[in-house]
Amino acid sequence: GAGVSQSPRYKVAKRGQDVALRCDPISGHVSLFWYQQALGQGPEFLTYFQNEAQLDKSGLPSDRFFAERPEGSVSTLKIQRTQQEDSAVYLCASSLVGQALSSNQPQHFGDGTRLSIL
Amino acid sequence: RKEVEQDPGPFNVPEGATVAFNCTYSNSASQSFFWYRQDCRKEPKLLMSVYSSGNEDGRFTAQLNRASQYISLLIRDSKLSDSATYLCAVPRGSQGNLIFGKGTKLSVKP
C-alpha cells in the first residue's frame, strides 16, 4: 500500500494478557517510530528503528514493552502482562531517511491501534 | 517550560474567519518544525513543514519566530472541514523522534 499500515485497528485484552501490534511502514522508509497517544494528549515517543537496528528505546514505559523490526521493514510492538494504564492508541510512523537527516524529514503515520485493557 | 506547548482551545470560529494558533518550544537549537492535523479517532496527518522563517500553502501559513521560540499556524477563510485538532511537533536530536504538543482543537461553525 501507499501508506503506513497498522493492525489490528482495535484490540481489547484482559489485564495480564500479552498483546502484539503490527506496523507495516511505507516501502523503502528507513526510519520507523512508535508513539503512544492517550486521550486528549499528543503522541508520545516510545522507540525508534533505523532499518533493523533499534537505536532508541528511551520512551518505552517499562520492561513489559518490547519492539522489534527484524528485517528492517515490518515492526511489532509487544506488551506483556498488560495493565489498564496501557490503554491508549499506539501509532507507528515512518520516514524516508535515517538519523542525522531524519530530523528534517516529515513522518507519516499509520491509523493506529486502539488498545483497551479491561 | 515544557518542550512543546500549545493552547488547547477549543477555538470556536464561524466559517470564513481567520484563526491563528501558537506553539512554543524550549530547545533553541531546533531547526525544523511540523504542523499535523488530527481528526477525531484518526491518525495525525502532516499539514505543513517549517524549516526557515515560514511556509505557505493555500489558506494555511506557518511562521517561525526563533527569537521568541514559537511557531504559529494561520488559517484564512476557515471551512467547516478545517474542524480538527492541530498538533505542533518538534524533532528531538538527530534521529528526529517528534515531541508533540497536546494539540489545539478548532471547531468551525456554519
Side-chain angles (χ1 to χ4, degrees):
Chain A
V4 178
S5 176
Q6 290 187 247
S7 61
R9 284 296 310 277
Y10 302 93
K11 177 69 179 177
V12 179
K14 291 183 179 178
R15 187 165 58 91
Q17 288 183 328
D18 298 348
V19 298
L21 313 179
R22 176 189 167 104
C23 172
D24 201 340
I26 295 172
S27 178
H29 275 200
V30 170
S31 290
L32 186 147
F33 303 82
W34 282 98
Y35 293 86
Q36 180 190 63
Q37 186 173 23
L39 192 64
Q41 304 293 315
E44 293 197 358
F45 169 73
L46 293 176
T47 187
Y48 165 69
F49 289 88
Q50 177 176 280
N51 296 309
E52 71 280 359
Q54 188 176 21
L55 299 185
D56 188 342
K57 52 183 181 179
S58 62
L60 296 177
S62 79
D63 59 7
R64 296 185 295 105
F65 286 70
F66 171 77
E68 60 183 4
R69 193 186 184 197
E71 297 178 0
S73 55
V74 171
S75 177
T76 304
L77 175 67
K78 296 178 180 177
I79 310 173
Q80 298 175 322
R81 304 180 304 280
T82 52
Q83 303 293 318
Q84 283 193 321
E85 63 262 28
D86 300 336
S87 297
V89 177
Y90 290 84
L91 294 162
C92 176
S94 69
S95 67
L96 183 60
V97 297
Q99 68 173 1
L101 293 173
S102 61
S103 61
N104 290 330
Q105 290 292 314
Q107 295 176 24
H108 302 275
F109 284 81
D111 47 17
T113 294
R114 189 172 299 271
L115 176 65
S116 296
I117 304 301
L118 304 179
Chain B
R1 175 192 260 184
K2 290 184 180 176
E3 288 189 82
V4 179
E5 282 195 272
Q6 295 182 252
D7 182 343
F11 284 65
N12 297 308
V13 302
E15 264 188 297
T18 295
V19 62
F21 316 130
N22 276 351
C23 168
T24 59
Y25 60 95
S26 62
N27 184 0
S28 59
S30 297
Q31 295 295 315
S32 53
F33 309 86
F34 303 96
W35 282 103
Y36 283 82
R37 171 201 168 119
Q38 187 171 31
D39 292 286
C40 188
R41 302 179 78 85
K42 298 285 190 179
E43 77 277 19
K45 291 187 177 175
L46 181 68
L47 184 63
M48 299 189 80
S49 304
V50 184
Y51 302 111
S52 57
S53 60
N55 195 3
E56 184 172 333
D57 183 5
R59 297 183 294 108
F60 297 83
T61 301
Q63 296 224 315
L64 170 62
N65 184 317
R66 288 193 185 277
S68 299
Q69 292 182 214
Y70 73 85
I71 55 173
S72 61
L73 178 67
L74 180 78
I75 306 174
R76 290 181 296 276
D77 188 22
S78 301
K79 312 290 185 191
L80 296 177
S81 57
D82 294 335
S83 297
T85 295
Y86 291 83
L87 294 162
C88 170
V90 181
R92 174 190 283 162
S94 61
Q95 70 195 25
N97 54 282
L98 295 174
I99 309 301
F100 283 88
K102 290 186 176 183
T104 297
K105 187 171 182 179
L106 172 65
S107 182
V108 182
K109 306 289 189 185

